[in-house]
Amino acid sequence: MPDPLPLPRPLVLGSTSRYRRELLSRLRLPFEVAAPEVDETPLPGEVPAALAARLALAKARAVARRFPAAVVIGSDQVADLHGEPLGKPGGHDQAVAQLRRMRGQTVVFQTALAVVCQATGFEAHDIAPVRVRLRDLDDAEIERYLRAEQPYDCAGSAKSEGLGIALLDAIDSDDPTALVGLPLIRTCRLLRAAGIAVP
């Protein structure tokens, strides 16, 4: 009699982001969600890509310590305006200030991903940079947009998957969901490497 097939490892998304939860659900894999509880303060002189990569790995490791048998996904996104990190605005006035600084500029959204499994010792990470060129928005456009969509929980103060697409001139990416918060092409690649069958 052949040995029974091993049960697949549980999958945990180490994030409280509703955007990442929705994106991961597209893969039709059962998963749990756990808050990573990681300090997201940038280190002195830390560039945006390094900050995003460090935080994605820290989130995955923090959750993996609580779920050692699971394959854990951590992710983080930092908007990079000429080397300066821009985080989530948190409120209207901060979002207005961000969009005023970004208008007419190219911003690189550094979306980092990490996959960790303590039980197997698996650890891998990747980053998906997305270049976004904003239109030269006037103050009235910024105000109308923010009042309509209130994207105060999004790095860069806009949702490309919603009305925020009207603020943009161009998006350049090799992983189309990266701008929303989780690069699914890279996620599939790392999950397969960790032993999860996708699809």
Side-chain angles (χ1 to χ4, degrees):
M1 185 168 170
D3 291 336
L5 291 174
L7 291 173
R9 292 197 173 277
L11 181 62
V12 179
L13 174 63
S15 175
T16 55
S17 164
R18 58 193 168 113
Y19 308 108
R20 290 190 181 105
R21 188 167 56 244
E22 185 277 324
L23 287 169
L24 187 57
S25 69
R26 295 183 191 182
L27 301 182
R28 300 185 183 186
L29 296 168
F31 67 94
E32 295 179 54
V33 174
E37 299 170 9
V38 166
D39 181 359
E40 298 190 22
T41 307
L43 299 175
E46 192 171 32
V47 297
L51 172 60
R54 178 177 63 81
L55 292 178
L57 197 51
K59 291 174 181 181
R61 287 172 174 166
V63 173
R65 282 193 290 275
R66 298 190 341 247
F67 298 87
V71 172
V72 178
I73 299 169
S75 186
D76 194 77
Q77 184 180 74
V78 178
D80 180 346
L81 179 61
H82 309 306
E84 180 187 344
L86 301 178
K88 298 170 186 169
H92 185 81
D93 292 343
Q94 298 92 328
V96 168
Q98 270 194 4
L99 288 176
R100 283 178 176 167
R101 290 188 60 214
M102 293 163 57
R103 60 186 165 195
Q105 304 292 314
T106 296
V107 181
V108 182
F109 287 80
Q110 305 285 3
T111 307
L113 167 73
V115 174
V116 173
C117 180
Q118 273 202 346
T120 63
F122 181 85
E123 185 171 291
H125 56 90
D126 203 347
I127 193 158
V130 182
R131 296 174 59 81
V132 176
R133 191 171 68 246
L134 277 80
R135 293 175 37 248
D136 192 8
L137 308 164
D138 63 38
D139 287 351
E141 287 177 300
I142 290 172
E143 189 66 27
R144 283 197 307 272
Y145 169 68
L146 292 175
R147 293 293 178 197
E149 198 152 61
Q150 301 180 9
Y152 308 136
D153 61 346
C154 297
S157 304
K159 295 181 187 178
S160 64
E161 69 275 24
L163 181 59
I165 199 74
L167 308 182
L168 309 182
D169 265 338
I171 298 173
D172 181 22
S173 173
D174 66 356
D175 205 332
T177 59
L179 188 54
V180 183
L182 187 66
L184 286 181
I185 292 172
R186 285 168 172 81
T187 299
C188 290
R189 186 181 303 143
L190 294 190
L191 288 178
R192 285 188 206 105
I196 304 267
V198 187

